[in-house]
Amino acid sequence: MSTTASDASSAPRPEDPLATLAALPGVPGAVESVRKAVDRVYGHRVMRRRGNAVTAEAALRAARGSAALSGADWALEEVRRRSDFGSDAEARTVGAALRLNAEAGQLLSVWSQSPLRVLARLHLVAAGGAGVSDRTVGRPRLAGEPVVEAPGSGATAPDAGASSPGAPSSGAPSVEEAPVQVPLAGTPLPDADEVAARLDGLARLVIATSAAPALVTAAVVHGELLALRPFGSYNGLVARAAERVVLIGSGLDPKAICPAEVGHAELGRAAYAAAFDGYLSGTPEGMAAWITHCGRAVELGVRESTAVCEALQRGAA
């Protein structure tokens, strides 16, 4: 079930809506495939001796992948070698992604009790030093405030409630055509009141006990934050960082070595936008497509870290 469905406010809520999503066709198979992939990389012999090195490399590659989806598509070695991340919009985006991944592991205990505090902190970390107005940092946007994924890019999302002009039928990005914007499938921007209400609903969903697998919860958190764009900037980065927090805090990936951001970037913006369009549809088929897309991203992140393990084993990294 998606909170974006048109009849979401009137339909009776199941006792465990996340568990309902977990039972959609295709989702149990995706969950099982992710679990097996994660188990394999955690069983790699390198993890017993150099797990910290794998975690550090996964964080770097995750940040690179998340920044790429927000338009700053830098080579990994460029991310690795750079120390100045304040020179332009792309550099600030990469710097924000790096800071977010460093912070995510520090927020796990707070997430299960106060996810809204964590989201505020994530935005504060992302926007810190990035030229964002202090009065908009770390809080949901107010009525009339613009949304820009990367400050300095010059492109804003459409007004709340307005249709997105020229939205392509293919699901390609339209509201964010500047190169530093995350694909949002041509969707209008929810107004501030709707954002506040749906953030509260998302928080209650996270805090409530659910039998749903971590992949399902992570996908819903990620999708809902992309749909809401609750902050004035860096919403894509924050959404993917929140997905990361869920995957780590749930125990699925406690050492943070399965970077879904790598997989999302590898699958590409067009696939990301198309899968997200499924989330926005609120249909069972669309929700299942989004969750399985997120599962595939985790599996590709696992593949990346497995390659790192192999390189470490050969002494090549």
Side-chain angles (χ1 to χ4, degrees):
M1 183 194 74
S2 168
T3 54
T4 61
S6 60
D7 60 349
S9 61
S10 59
R13 290 177 59 87
E15 186 176 341
D16 188 348
L18 293 176
T20 300
L21 292 178
L24 291 175
V27 174
V31 168
E32 181 64 12
S33 184
V34 166
R35 186 192 63 78
K36 288 180 178 178
V38 172
D39 286 349
R40 282 195 300 271
V41 72
Y42 270 85
H44 198 289
R45 61 187 301 177
V46 167
M47 287 300 299
R48 294 193 293 271
R49 297 179 286 109
R50 302 191 64 182
N52 289 341
V54 180
T55 296
E57 190 64 20
L60 183 72
R61 295 176 187 226
R64 185 262 156 202
S66 191
L69 282 170
S70 286
D73 194 358
W74 289 13
L76 179 63
E77 291 310 312
E78 178 71 5
V79 178
R80 195 189 304 278
R81 75 169 185 85
R82 283 283 289 268
S83 58
D84 174 19
F85 295 102
S87 57
D88 55 43
E90 284 197 9
R92 288 192 292 271
T93 296
V94 174
L98 288 166
R99 291 192 299 273
L100 280 172
N101 276 17
E103 184 75 8
Q106 312 302 314
L107 301 171
L108 303 179
S109 61
V110 183
W111 175 257
S112 60
Q113 301 173 21
S114 183
L116 297 186
R117 283 179 54 199
V118 170
L119 294 176
R121 175 62 184 171
L122 289 174
H123 186 248
L124 181 65
V125 168
V132 181
S133 170
D134 286 345
R135 63 188 179 83
T136 67
V137 171
R139 62 152 174 82
R141 56 186 168 79
L142 303 178
E145 291 182 341
V147 175
V148 181
E149 178 64 12
S153 70
T156 62
D159 292 337
S163 60
S164 301
S169 60
S170 64
S174 65
V175 300
E176 297 174 329
E177 294 174 346
V180 282
Q181 299 294 325
V182 79
L184 291 176
T187 59
L189 193 67
D191 65 31
D193 289 340
E194 182 180 353
V195 167
R198 286 170 57 177
L199 279 178
D200 182 66
L202 182 64
R204 286 187 279 108
L205 199 62
V206 168
I207 293 170
T209 302
S210 173
L215 173 63
V216 174
T217 304
V220 169
V221 168
H222 182 173
E224 188 68 356
L225 292 174
L226 278 186
L228 293 179
R229 286 150 284 167
F231 302 107
S233 58
Y234 297 122
N235 287 292
L237 295 182
V238 169
R240 291 184 289 276
E243 177 185 52
R244 183 176 181 82
V245 168
V246 174
L247 294 173
I248 298 170
S250 67
L252 176 66
D253 181 25
K255 295 184 179 180
I257 61 167
C258 306
E261 301 95 324
V262 168
H264 286 302
E266 184 173 338
L267 290 167
R269 290 195 194 184
Y272 189 61
F276 176 57
D277 196 42
Y279 177 87
L280 290 171
S281 75
T283 65
E285 296 81 7
M287 292 300 297
W290 171 249
I291 295 167
T292 55
H293 181 88
C294 291
R296 180 60 179 150
V298 175
E299 291 187 68
L300 290 172
V302 167
R303 186 177 72 177
E304 186 89 352
S305 287
T306 301
V308 169
C309 288
E310 296 294 330
L312 289 170
Q313 188 167 274
R314 295 191 306 267

